[in-house]
Amino acid sequence: MTWPIKRLHIETSTICNSDCEICPQSLIQRQKKIDVVRVKRLITEDAVAYASTLHLVEFHNYNEPLLAFDLFCELSSLVNATFGPHKVGLVSNGSVMDEKKADRLVDLRLAHVLFSVDGFSKEVYENHRRGLDRDQVYRNIDTFIERSAARDGPVPLVNYTVTPGNAHEAIITKDHFAGRRCNFHLSACDGRGSDSGKLVAISNMNMSTNGPCDYALDGVYVLSNLDIVTCCEDWSGKDVMGNLMQSTLQEVVDGAAYQRFRELHFSGQKHQIALCRDCKTNMSYAESYKKTVPVEALTSIRATR
């Protein structure tokens, strides 16, 4: 019996319009755009074997999906036609949102919509999300909230990733969105890319155990070069399970490399996996956006390598 996949994350490109403090996207060297023909086959053929367990498909990893808006809509419609509505999730920085896009996204009947903001003041926000206009992004998020509310669309989640440089603005940002038709979540900088100059992890706001991590076990991450990796933390594709140009999704998921990965997790030996040994989080994907960072932790931010 094949291993049950619950989430499929497809990096349709490595193109983004922001160089964020917390994200190593600007350091990625693989091809910029994925083979769309293969992605369509992945959705309509390979992934069908997991129809009974698959509950989320995202066209996001280290990219801003709405920069290729027509492609996002086309692939989302393909997922809807294959698996039904409320399967596709959107993660966006909100920079190119407008009324027309908001209405189209509501029509797609998405599973969820998440906007990332990492600062309230113009100075702090634009230091963390270089290349974006803070005021425009906040207006764009409000636009989506209002358009979605008017048509009973998805309630978006606004996520704030806490760093030593923006912790002091977390509560005022939360207060700003209070009363709007959205949810708000605080997460902690997890240090991905810190070995290449990005921000290090926040030690007292992350947790790691040697137990199995279903964030990695339940999801499959397809990179823009069609390599499959186990987790979004593997931003540079160091621990590749297989490639979809040479194999089907099921062949990779049930292959020797993936089986070994799972065995190490379930036997308490995941420290043998470099990616997992250095990871500062061990989490459930479903729970990760329920367990917001405790407010009291904001007063004692500590970075660690």
Side-chain angles (χ1 to χ4, degrees):
M1 180 178 177
T2 187
W3 178 259
I5 296 174
K6 297 181 181 179
R7 306 184 327 276
L8 183 58
H9 305 266
I10 304 171
E11 182 186 74
T12 51
S13 80
T14 60
I15 299 171
C16 189
N17 54 350
S18 177
D19 179 17
C20 298
E21 279 275 72
I22 61 170
C23 178
Q25 179 273 337
S26 62
L27 307 172
I28 292 172
Q29 297 182 3
R30 57 183 170 269
Q31 69 186 56
K32 289 186 177 298
K33 296 183 179 180
I34 204 166
D35 183 331
V36 175
V37 173
R38 183 65 183 94
V39 171
K40 290 179 179 180
R41 284 188 11 244
L42 170 63
I43 294 168
T44 60
E45 297 177 18
D46 297 41
V48 171
Y50 305 94
S52 63
T53 57
L54 186 67
H55 65 77
L56 178 66
V57 180
E58 288 185 339
F59 300 106
H60 167 268
N61 192 36
Y62 288 97
N63 59 303
E64 169 49 52
L66 297 189
L67 292 178
F69 184 71
D70 289 342
L71 178 62
F72 177 87
C73 292
E74 180 183 7
L75 295 178
S76 297
S77 296
L78 194 59
V79 171
N80 288 350
T82 306
F83 300 101
H86 310 298
K87 297 287 187 182
V88 176
L90 170 64
V91 178
S92 173
N93 60 34
S95 61
V96 297
M97 182 62 66
D98 56 30
E99 290 186 357
K100 185 177 180 180
K101 289 186 176 69
D103 289 344
R104 182 72 182 97
L105 292 171
V106 172
D107 288 340
L108 287 171
R109 295 182 290 174
L110 301 175
H112 69 240
V113 175
L114 183 152
F115 294 111
S116 299
V117 298
D118 303 325
F120 183 74
S121 68
K122 190 173 182 68
E123 178 183 7
V124 169
Y125 176 93
E126 294 180 4
N127 280 341
H128 279 72
R129 294 190 166 262
R130 292 184 290 268
L132 301 185
D133 182 318
R134 178 270 184 204
D135 296 340
Q136 184 63 58
V137 168
Y138 270 65
R139 285 194 296 269
N140 293 351
I141 294 173
D142 280 343
T143 292
F144 182 84
I145 292 172
E146 292 164 6
R147 302 295 287 192
S148 187
R151 302 179 57 204
D152 197 28
V155 177
L157 175 67
V158 177
N159 186 70
Y160 189 104
T161 300
V162 179
T163 75
N166 70 11
H168 63 290
E169 291 194 351
I171 299 305
I172 193 173
T173 308
K174 180 179 181 180
D175 291 344
H176 171 83
F177 287 103
R180 288 171 166 82
R181 185 178 177 271
C182 66
N183 297 311
F184 185 83
H185 180 263
L186 293 173
S187 59
C189 177
D190 56 22
R192 67 185 70 181
S194 60
D195 56 342
S196 300
K198 291 295 179 175
L199 290 180
V200 298
I202 304 300
S203 63
N204 61 320
M205 298 172 69
N206 281 288
M207 60 172 290
S208 182
T209 73
N210 203 36
C213 174
D214 71 14
Y215 203 99
L217 294 169
D218 290 348
V220 168
Y221 294 78
V222 182
L223 304 183
S224 61
N225 59 3
L226 294 173
D227 280 345
I228 289 182
V229 296
T230 60
C231 183
C232 57
E233 294 277 349
D234 192 0
W235 61 272
S236 61
K238 291 180 179 178
D239 196 7
V240 175
M241 300 290 106
N243 184 280
L244 289 178
M245 288 306 290
Q246 289 86 44
S247 307
T248 66
L249 178 62
Q250 186 168 340
E251 287 171 343
V252 176
V253 171
D254 292 341
Y258 239 129
Q259 288 187 31
R260 175 62 174 163
F261 177 84
R262 291 191 288 265
E263 288 170 1
L264 290 173
H265 267 255
F266 286 117
S267 64
Q269 301 179 73
K270 72 178 185 183
H271 59 275
Q272 294 185 31
I273 307 168
L275 179 71
C276 302
R277 181 180 62 245
D278 298 333
C279 183
K280 299 299 186 294
T281 58
N282 182 86
M283 68 176 77
S284 156
Y285 189 89
E287 294 297 319
S288 63
Y289 287 113
K290 295 178 184 177
K291 296 180 179 177
T292 193
V293 166
V295 171
E296 56 269 21
L298 296 171
T299 62
S300 57
I301 300 299
R302 297 192 302 274
T304 180
R305 292 187 184 277

